[in-house]
Amino acid sequence: MTILVFGSTGQVARELAHFSRNICLEKSRADLTSPTACSEIICQLRPKAVINAAAYTDVDKAEKNEALALLINGDAPTAMANTCAKLGIPFVHISTDYVFDGKGKHSRMPDEPTAPLGAYGRSKLRGEKGIQQAGGIYVILRTSWVFSEQGTNFVKAILTLAETQKELRVVSDQFGGPTPAKDIAIACQKIATDLILGRGKSGTYHFSGEPDLSWAEFAREILWQTGKTVSVKSITSTEYQTLGKRPKNSRIDCTSLYDTFGIVRSDWKVGLRYVIDKLGSS
């Protein structure tokens, strides 16, 4: 069964490309700045399901380019969902914990009120709402703190900094669950397959690795697994200013995903070991 994947260079899209029957679309074939083009290629290829693993993900640049972020993260997925609804095929879309305001310390349920802190979160929420309103068969899969051996992510950034610095200053008052891109891809593939076969249920779900921890604790584990003696100094969010605001609480409750699709939270330490081994052999 052919599954059409929007995206080819992102962390999750690269993992989805490993499934032999998936068709991963490069930007030249499906430009997300043209929602109409996205709809047209779905109609042309008539897949069994569509997974959207493409997005505008630069949180800081989104503050200066919100119109572009809204187009790519909001309008394009909405067009995809509308087309899938008309054709009667499932649509799986990857979203983010940034649709929440990050207040509190509890793990957010999928149906809790949203309140994005910045442009990136607002653009992703616009996409979610458009998908929900399309009325088709869909799953919105919110995730957090994605990492892999590909692309730009926290793990690679820490390892790069550790090459030249003896001490790293890392935020310790933001908490969440690191999530291997490979595991997100596997989850998306299973969800899409289940929906094709008439199993599961449309809706919004959460998927992240466990256990939850702070960025500083995550950095220490990365360095420990690689055997580096670089120290990590904990700092607050106010000491590390960024253009785009980050949620302090990125904990998300993944219970409904397990109950509906049988997908368990990832052990991110195992995923981290896999990524480190991959980086070491590259």
Side-chain angles (χ1 to χ4, degrees), residues 263-279:
I263 298 172
V264 299
R265 293 185 70 181
S266 303
D267 182 340
W268 61 260
K269 290 185 179 181
V270 174
L272 178 60
R273 170 51 56 193
Y274 172 84
V275 168
I276 289 172
D277 288 346
K278 281 284 188 178
L279 288 172

Side-chain angles (χ1 to χ4, degrees), residues 17 36 124-126 150-151 170 235 247 257 264 281:
T36 300
K124 294 296 286 185
L125 183 58
R126 179 158 158 173
Q150 308 287 350
V170 185
I235 62 172
L257 183 68
V264 299
S281 61

Side-chain angles (χ1 to χ4, degrees), residues 2 4 40-50 87 89:
T2 301
L4 182 63
E40 289 175 348
I41 198 161
I42 295 173
C43 292
Q44 175 188 339
L45 296 178
R46 295 292 177 112
K48 293 293 185 180
V50 173
L87 297 176
I89 60 177

Side-chain angles (χ1 to χ4, degrees), residues 11 32 65 70 81 88 105 107 116 143 169 212 228 235 260 271:
Q11 296 182 81
L32 268 71
N65 300 285
L70 287 168
K105 296 182 179 180
S107 297
T143 189
R169 291 162 49 87
D212 296 322
K228 298 185 182 297
I235 62 172
T260 306

Side-chain angles (χ1 to χ4, degrees), residues 10 18 27 37 58 65 86 88 92 97 112 137 140 158 183 199 202 213 220 226 253 279 282:
H18 295 154
K27 185 177 180 180
D58 194 312
N65 300 285
K86 291 176 182 177
V92 179
D97 68 279
E112 289 193 40
I137 304 167
I140 295 167
I158 289 296
D183 294 346
R199 300 194 293 254
S202 289
L213 77 172
R220 293 187 183 100
T226 52
D253 190 293
L279 288 172
S282 61

Side-chain angles (χ1 to χ4, degrees), residues 99-133:
V99 298
F100 296 115
D101 59 14
K103 293 181 179 179
K105 296 182 179 180
H106 71 288
S107 297
R108 295 297 182 95
M109 302 292 290
D111 60 355
E112 289 193 40
T114 52
L117 296 175
Y120 171 66
R122 288 192 293 270
S123 70
K124 294 296 286 185
L125 183 58
R126 179 158 158 173
E128 288 191 8
K129 289 181 177 179
I131 293 164
Q132 292 163 350
Q133 291 169 3

Side-chain angles (χ1 to χ4, degrees), residues 197-237:
L197 298 175
R199 300 194 293 254
K201 180 182 178 183
S202 289
T204 301
Y205 298 88
H206 290 166
F207 179 64
S208 68
E210 63 177 349
D212 296 322
L213 77 172
S214 71
W215 283 117
E217 291 169 321
F218 189 26
R220 293 187 183 100
E221 180 66 21
I222 294 166
L223 295 169
W224 183 83
Q225 285 204 19
T226 52
K228 298 185 182 297
T229 56
V230 178
S231 63
V232 173
K233 180 180 180 180
S234 296
I235 62 172
T236 64
S237 300

